[in-house]
Amino acid sequence: MSQVMPSFDALVLEDELIQARVGSSFEQNFRKLPPATTALVAACVLMHLATGISDYLLGQTSLLGVIVDARSTPTLLLFGGREHGMVAGGELWRLMSCVFLHADGLHILLNGVALFGLGRLCEAVWGGLRMSVIFVVAGLAGSLLSQAGGVELSVGASGGVFGLLGAGAVFGFKAKNQLPAGLRRIFGRGLVPWIVLNLAIGLFVPRIDNLGHLGGLLGGVILAPILADRVLPSSEASSWVDGFMGVGLGAVLAVTLGQVIRELLWVGLGVG
């Protein structure tokens, strides 16, 4: 029995239907204030305010400086900044805690805006849990490469932000034939110039930890094709995998927060 090959028009129509379905799924998932992204930005802002208040109480900054001034190195270390010797000495929790700290007002502003913008896009594609996993794993990857490269002190969410950039770019290239034109302009090639530009800036601007950026980018690139998304028809999420990731993510964040609190109590307040 002979098979009838689909016509070119039929194939085009099928592609257009898939693209319309993907576009509709993305629009349904896209939120003005996506919960996971908003929570990550809020955590960074709260830690920035906490370090500012600490410097203010120590007489090292003004009331306005709580928001805009550079944080003192002792305060950043007290709240979990990644310092090479401390991590090498066993304080591995600093690889995570440093992701939520920022050096000054401009630092938190730039990273906060980038995190919110990219987080909204990635949360629409992967959902809050998987987007958070990308951010956290990429942040850790950035800290690890920075530590391995001998960078003395680093703070900031930019490793996680680069992870979201890399994940978004990989998703765009992977799904280019299934994405409507508007989403193709955002993902894939649309993100590559931003990656190149920001890595180039890191080569010429002092105090930017480009190893942290590169590590975060690699983390996002590796995770993107592994994690199931929620917009492509061919993608299927596993509830037990999501449950495992949720437990793992919660454990990492809980241990990190516990270590920060312990450091504040034992070192900052002299308890114990």
Side-chain angles (χ1 to χ4, degrees):
M1 186 170 61
S2 62
Q3 292 183 332
V4 178
M5 297 296 293
S7 68
F8 176 75
D9 289 341
L11 291 173
V12 170
L13 179 59
E14 182 181 2
D15 286 344
E16 290 177 348
L17 289 173
I18 291 174
Q19 290 172 8
R21 191 184 312 163
V22 170
S24 177
S25 296
F26 181 86
E27 289 179 4
Q28 290 175 7
N29 295 327
F30 191 73
R31 300 284 185 271
K32 289 184 177 180
L33 287 174
T37 298
T38 304
L40 289 174
V41 174
C44 291
V45 171
L46 287 173
M47 290 298 287
H48 183 68
L49 291 175
T51 54
I53 292 170
S54 177
D55 272 348
Y56 176 75
L57 293 175
L58 293 172
Q60 298 188 22
T61 191
S62 64
L63 195 58
L64 179 61
V66 169
I67 299 174
V68 300
D69 280 358
R71 302 314 188 224
S72 67
T73 297
T75 291
L76 288 176
L77 293 179
L78 178 63
F79 279 81
R82 188 202 62 78
E83 196 274 331
H84 189 274
M86 290 179 168
V87 174
E91 298 183 30
L92 300 180
W93 58 274
R94 292 180 179 274
L95 296 171
M96 185 75 260
S97 57
C98 69
V99 173
F100 295 93
L101 298 172
H102 290 83
D104 55 35
L106 181 60
H107 195 198
I108 182 67
L109 176 64
L110 294 176
N111 275 351
V113 170
L115 173 55
F116 186 72
L118 289 165
R120 290 176 74 196
L121 293 173
C122 290
E123 190 164 343
V125 171
W126 282 285
L129 173 61
R130 284 167 240 148
M131 182 281 297
S132 299
V133 168
I134 293 172
F135 175 81
V136 166
V137 171
L140 283 171
S143 294
L144 283 168
L145 191 57
S146 182
Q147 177 74 15
V151 178
E152 190 63 27
L153 175 66
S154 65
V155 293
S158 53
V161 169
F162 264 85
L164 297 177
L165 267 173
V170 169
F171 170 75
F173 285 115
K174 170 188 171 185
K176 62 181 180 180
N177 294 328
Q178 301 178 67
L179 295 178
L183 292 182
R184 285 200 302 272
R185 286 192 293 270
I186 297 174
F187 294 99
R189 291 182 181 178
L191 293 178
V192 170
W194 291 103
I195 295 172
V196 173
L197 174 63
N198 281 280
L199 287 176
I201 290 173
L203 294 175
F204 300 104
V205 177
R207 297 179 61 195
I208 290 182
D209 181 10
N210 235 15
L211 284 176
H213 293 174
L214 183 59
L217 178 66
L218 292 174
V221 167
I222 292 171
L223 276 180
I226 298 174
L227 296 178
D229 64 79
R230 57 178 187 173
V231 295
L232 299 180
S234 57
S235 186
E236 293 184 7
S238 168
S239 58
W240 73 265
V241 171
D242 281 353
F244 177 79
M245 288 192 299
V247 171
L249 178 65
V252 168
L253 295 178
V255 168
T256 302
L257 179 60
Q259 290 291 344
V260 171
I261 293 173
R262 179 181 181 274
E263 188 78 1
L264 290 170
L265 291 175
W266 283 40
V267 178
L269 299 179
V271 176

